Amino acid sequence: MSKINITFPDGSKRSYEKGVSAKDIAESIGPRLAQAALAASINDELKDLTTPINDDAKLEILTFDTHKGQEVFHHSTAHVLAQAVQRIFPKAKLTIGPTVEGGFYYDIDIQPLNPDDLINIEREMKKIVHEKFEVSRHKISKKEALVMFKDNPFKIEMIKELPENETISYYQQGEFKDLCRGPHVSNTKQIDAFKLTKVSSAYWRGDAKNKSLQRIYGVSFPDKKDLNKYLELQKEAEKRDHRKIGKELELFQFHEYSPGSPFFHEKGAIIYNELLAFMREEYKKRGYQEVITPLIYDKALWETSGHWEHYKDDVFTLKVDGREFALKPMNCPSHCLMYQNKSKSYRELPLRIADFAPLHRNELKGVLGGLTRVRKFAQDDSHIFCTEDQIEGEMNDLFEFVDFVFRKTFGMEFHLELSTKPVKAMGSKEFWNKSEKVLEDALKKNNLKYKINPGDGAFYGPKIDIHVKDCLGRSWQCATIQLDLNLPERFELEYEGKDGKKHRPVMIHRAILGSIERFMGIMIEQFSGKLPLWLSPVQVKVLTVSERFADYGAKIVQEIKQNGVRIELDDRTESISKKVREAQLEKVNYILVVGEREEQDNTVTVRTFHNEVLGAKKIDLFIKEILKEIKDKKL
């Protein structure tokens, strides 16, 4: 048989017989990889491990350590869940079972479920795992699919929406069959540890006019130790849940009249605006120009940018003057319009446009989750238009910017992932190869460790995603740096070069904090609501020992407030211990107690929300110290 060359993520190559599978290759590398392998990325397309490879190819063996590997594992568990449900409730009708961050869910037309039902379903799932079913993929025609799923109106609806000649795939394990693109794990025995976490109601396709379904959520891991660790972390996470803290501290709320759109109360708005002020301060130092752009655009703009073709399902559309418009899900096309406003010279580049405009994305209602998954949000968004010669310098600056924000300012570690061309991508192969190489070279020149996340790039270009690790070890995708040669081409952007000729600029899409809402939720949980002084809505609270000292307390408040510090006075006729306890629950950074001795000495007795008693301090000294702490943005 003829040989083919397989290229691995580290650039190394090996020769194999034509028709070899990713599973065979994993076994040839070693038993540990073979055991951990879940699926494969072949030329940046997700495939089952058993898929034969007949030509030279790029290959990544996906394990649970990769984001895509986790998605495959979680979705495979969703199939085990669905199989268990159908065994216990034969009349149940399956709809969809996607992955969500950290787990999965399955929407099922079934009677309302209770906690005992979940226990019984889990028990049946364990049986399915122990039955060690091979998981196999099968291709059928649309006509055959309509016959196979004729008793399930939800599957029939989805099948009818597919193009007439499209080949459809389904997966089978034991007696169970489900419509699915895949890929999946090879055997149910690989799904060793799982937990069904909750059940809720959800409308079919998120529309209240449709049938109400039962949505069963769960998590899964290849190892029971990982599940036990997760369950312990969940207990701590519940204490830190930003939704719980946000309600207790009156930071924000949500309402059914506008799902996925946070209402920020006064204290929440302070945190939000302080984050914006922080970024604006950095923009001034780093040469960014802030702009303000419209929120609604004719679909012609989105057709030019490619979003109408590649992103329409995630966009809110509306009719204006008899034409079809859309609320913008991102800023890049509007910044291209601003670039076009007048002709550019190479002397004006790099042009760094920053924008905090509100964005809207039509996320499924079932995946909305507090501030970390919303429909309305704003990003610390920027688009950098530069020459090819300037890319390296801009990338170096962006890596430094990311490090400054996350590690130095917020004390968060992070890792980098290079996301490559997705299946449905825009632009030529040459554009993509060039863009991916530029990003990879930038990472290597800065000696930065990174993982390859195949097929997860934006439809217009590859990207470097920054995944932040919080104090509980959870990973959150926040910052992103994307290289784009496609949009400048589609919008016909130009600049006049040193040679007097017209050239295309390169476009770098970047966000550091990412969604302000999402980052705020992550940050609240990171600090368990006890925010650094510069971000805290109430930085100082003055407590009077008795009403006799209300005037002195008011004087202290006024003196400190004049320095721009956010301060409140508690002169109620309550015990000092109760006032201290309440101030600590409110996460006030510094609690100043004033009584007879403090009034005589013109001092305050200082304690923190960590219940550290710092003792008596002169007012001037206290003000000097906290102003420095605010300025330095100490953790």
Side-chain angles (χ1 to χ4, degrees):
M1 290 184 70
S2 57
K3 295 276 190 179
I4 58 171
N5 291 318
I6 299 297
T7 304
F8 296 97
D10 62 1
S12 63
K13 294 184 178 182
R14 289 191 187 188
S15 293
Y16 291 91
E17 298 289 344
K18 184 178 180 180
V20 68
S21 70
K23 184 178 181 181
D24 296 330
I25 294 172
E27 288 171 350
S28 74
I29 294 172
R32 291 180 69 179
L33 180 60
Q35 187 176 359
L38 301 172
S41 170
I42 303 172
N43 292 328
D44 296 333
E45 289 188 37
L46 294 178
K47 300 287 184 182
D48 294 308
L49 285 173
T50 53
T51 304
I53 307 172
N54 295 309
D55 299 294
D56 292 349
K58 292 191 302 180
L59 173 70
E60 182 184 11
I61 306 294
L62 300 177
T63 66
F64 198 78
D65 292 333
T66 65
H67 178 67
K68 289 295 183 186
Q70 287 181 18
E71 287 191 334
V72 170
F73 192 87
H74 291 148
H75 186 56
S76 298
T77 315
H79 273 220
V80 174
L81 161 64
Q83 184 177 5
V85 168
Q86 287 206 316
R87 284 185 175 184
I88 300 171
F89 305 97
K91 293 182 180 180
K93 304 296 182 191
L94 305 177
T95 66
I96 57 171
T99 62
V100 291
E101 194 161 336
F104 60 90
Y105 70 80
Y106 213 118
D107 282 349
I108 303 172
D109 183 11
I110 193 176
Q111 67 192 47
L113 300 173
N114 58 50
D116 287 338
D117 290 323
L118 293 190
I119 292 170
N120 291 332
I121 295 168
E122 269 189 26
R123 190 178 295 123
E124 194 62 39
M125 288 173 71
K126 288 174 183 175
K127 289 181 185 176
I128 293 166
V129 169
H130 292 146
E131 287 173 59
K132 301 179 182 179
F133 289 124
E134 292 289 334
V135 182
S136 55
R137 185 175 190 264
H138 304 272
K139 294 181 180 179
I140 52 175
S141 67
K142 184 174 180 179
K143 185 177 179 181
E144 290 170 320
L146 289 169
V147 173
M148 179 176 286
F149 294 97
K150 65 182 182 341
D151 296 327
N152 187 324
F154 305 101
K155 301 288 185 185
I156 292 297
E157 183 180 327
M158 290 188 286
I159 294 167
K160 284 182 176 178
E161 291 171 352
L162 298 172
E164 205 55 46
N165 359 332
E166 179 148 333
T167 301
I168 296 169
S169 63
Y170 72 88
Y171 277 77
Q172 182 168 359
Q173 52 199 45
E175 81 287 354
F176 177 75
K177 297 175 184 177
D178 200 3
L179 195 68
C180 189
R181 288 194 305 267
H184 279 267
V185 300
S186 302
N187 194 295
T188 60
K189 69 181 180 182
Q190 292 174 268
I191 302 168
D192 191 44
F194 48 82
K195 179 72 178 173
L196 300 183
T197 54
K198 64 177 180 176
V199 62
S200 64
S201 296
Y203 293 111
W204 168 234
R205 293 192 155 174
D207 190 336
K209 297 175 185 176
N210 291 336
K211 190 156 191 176
S212 179
L213 310 170
Q214 291 287 284
R215 175 168 293 173
I216 305 173
Y217 288 90
V219 294
S220 58
F221 300 88
D223 191 291
K224 288 185 173 66
K225 290 180 183 176
D226 292 328
L227 176 61
N228 291 335
K229 182 179 177 183
Y230 167 83
L231 295 174
E232 284 301 315
L233 286 176
Q234 283 306 105
K235 293 178 184 177
E236 180 61 28
E238 284 177 22
K239 299 176 190 174
R240 295 171 176 264
D241 191 326
H242 73 277
R243 292 165 294 190
K244 174 174 170 285
I245 293 172
K247 185 176 181 180
E248 290 171 351
L249 301 185
E250 297 182 10
L251 303 180
F252 56 85
Q253 72 173 75
F254 289 87
H255 198 284
E256 185 59 28
Y257 287 166
S258 186
S261 303
F263 294 70
F264 286 100
H265 292 255
E266 179 190 2
K267 291 180 180 179
I270 288 171
I271 301 170
Y272 196 99
N273 287 324
E274 285 293 338
L275 288 171
L276 295 189
F278 166 60
M279 294 308 296
R280 285 186 168 120
E281 185 182 335
E282 289 304 313
Y283 286 167
K284 290 175 186 175
K285 299 173 188 174
R286 298 169 187 270
Y288 286 82
Q289 303 174 16
E290 186 179 344
V291 300
I292 300 172
T293 48
L295 305 185
I296 304 174
Y297 298 83
D298 190 297
K299 80 169 184 179
L301 174 73
W302 307 110
E303 288 174 331
T304 301
S305 68
H307 287 87
W308 204 256
E309 178 186 355
H310 295 274
Y311 207 77
K312 187 184 175 185
D313 289 345
D314 297 296
V315 174
F316 288 103
T317 58
L318 61 160
K319 291 284 185 181
V320 180
D321 301 330
R323 294 149 57 195
E324 198 162 10
F325 277 65
L327 278 169
K328 70 174 176 182
M330 59 269 298
N331 292 306
C332 33
S334 57
H335 292 177
C336 288
L337 295 182
M338 297 186 86
Y339 183 96
Q340 287 177 327
N341 187 52
K342 67 171 187 175
S343 58
K344 300 283 189 298
S345 160
Y346 71 92
R347 293 184 181 88
E348 297 172 78
L349 303 183
L351 174 63
R352 306 181 187 97
I353 299 177
D355 198 337
F356 293 108
L359 305 174
H360 291 80
R361 296 182 186 174
N362 193 8
E363 299 277 6
L364 290 173
K365 190 174 181 182
V367 301
L368 300 176
L371 296 178
T372 56
R373 197 70 178 263
V374 292
R375 287 177 175 167
K376 181 266 177 184
F377 62 101
Q379 292 180 312
D380 60 327
D381 199 10
S382 176
H383 294 91
I384 302 169
F385 300 90
C386 64
T387 68
E388 288 193 16
D389 292 342
Q390 292 169 335
I391 294 174
E392 183 176 340
E394 291 302 307
M395 294 298 294
N396 294 344
D397 290 346
L398 289 175
F399 290 140
E400 183 276 326
F401 199 173
V402 167
D403 188 69
F404 170 77
V405 169
F406 289 111
R407 193 173 59 81
K408 294 180 180 175
T409 304
F410 291 101
M412 297 176 174
E413 296 299 324
F414 57 87
H415 75 269
L416 309 176
E417 291 188 6
L418 174 58
S419 298
T420 58
K421 184 180 178 182
V423 176
K424 294 182 179 179
M426 182 174 74
S428 69
K429 184 178 179 181
E430 290 72 28
F431 270 19
W432 277 90
N433 289 343
K434 183 176 181 180
S435 301
E436 287 176 7
K437 186 175 186 307
V438 168
L439 289 185
E440 194 156 19
D441 287 347
L443 288 163
K444 289 176 178 176
K445 284 179 182 177
N446 282 273
N447 297 315
L448 295 170
K449 293 181 179 179
Y450 63 95
K451 295 179 181 179
I452 300 286
N453 191 4
D456 203 42
F459 69 84
Y460 47 78
K463 57 180 181 168
I464 297 170
D465 286 327
I466 290 85
H467 293 260
V468 176
K469 189 175 182 180
D470 69 12
C471 60
L472 297 181
R474 297 171 300 184
S475 181
W476 302 90
Q477 196 267 304
C478 291
T480 187
I481 302 168
Q482 306 171 358
L483 190 64
D484 184 1
L485 303 179
N486 277 308
L487 287 189
E489 186 78 17
R490 292 175 76 96
F491 281 91
E492 299 181 349
L493 305 183
E494 295 179 334
Y495 69 91
E496 186 176 303
K498 292 180 183 179
D499 57 5
K501 296 178 181 178
K502 297 293 184 183
H503 300 271
R504 285 266 185 267
V506 174
M507 190 173 179
I508 300 173
H509 308 240
R510 59 107 287 213
I512 306 297
L513 297 178
S515 157
I516 306 298
E517 285 78 357
R518 180 181 173 86
F519 181 77
M520 187 168 157
I522 294 166
M523 182 187 65
I524 288 169
E525 295 189 6
Q526 167 78 0
F527 296 111
S528 197
K530 296 178 179 179
L531 300 176
L533 183 64
W534 66 280
L535 279 169
S536 188
V538 182
Q539 297 166 317
V540 180
K541 199 159 196 175
V542 176
L543 316 181
T544 55
V545 171
S546 72
E547 58 186 329
R548 273 199 307 132
F549 307 104
D551 289 344
Y552 180 63
K555 174 193 164 195
I556 298 298
V557 167
Q558 191 58 32
E559 194 171 340
I560 296 175
K561 185 181 284 188
Q562 286 174 351
N563 288 274
V565 177
R566 295 185 287 273
I567 186 169
E568 292 181 354
L569 173 65
D570 185 351
D571 58 359
R572 296 174 300 158
T573 56
E574 300 284 356
S575 69
I576 196 66
S577 59
K578 182 178 180 180
K579 291 181 182 181
V580 168
R581 185 167 62 253
E582 289 179 357
Q584 288 173 334
L585 289 173
E586 291 169 15
K587 319 294 186 189
V588 177
N589 299 69
Y590 288 102
I591 302 162
L592 309 184
V593 178
V594 295
E596 185 173 2
R597 180 180 296 175
E598 288 80 13
E599 185 176 38
Q600 288 175 353
D601 299 341
N602 198 32
T603 62
V604 288
T605 296
V606 185
R607 66 196 305 158
T608 72
F609 51 31
H610 295 299
N611 208 26
E612 300 167 302
V613 180
L614 305 181
K617 286 192 179 184
K618 291 288 186 182
I619 304 300
D620 291 347
L621 176 61
F622 175 74
I623 292 172
K624 182 180 178 182
E625 288 177 349
I626 64 165
L627 289 179
K628 185 176 188 309
E629 186 177 337
I630 292 169
K631 182 182 178 183
D632 293 345
K633 294 182 170 58
K634 290 181 180 178
L635 291 176

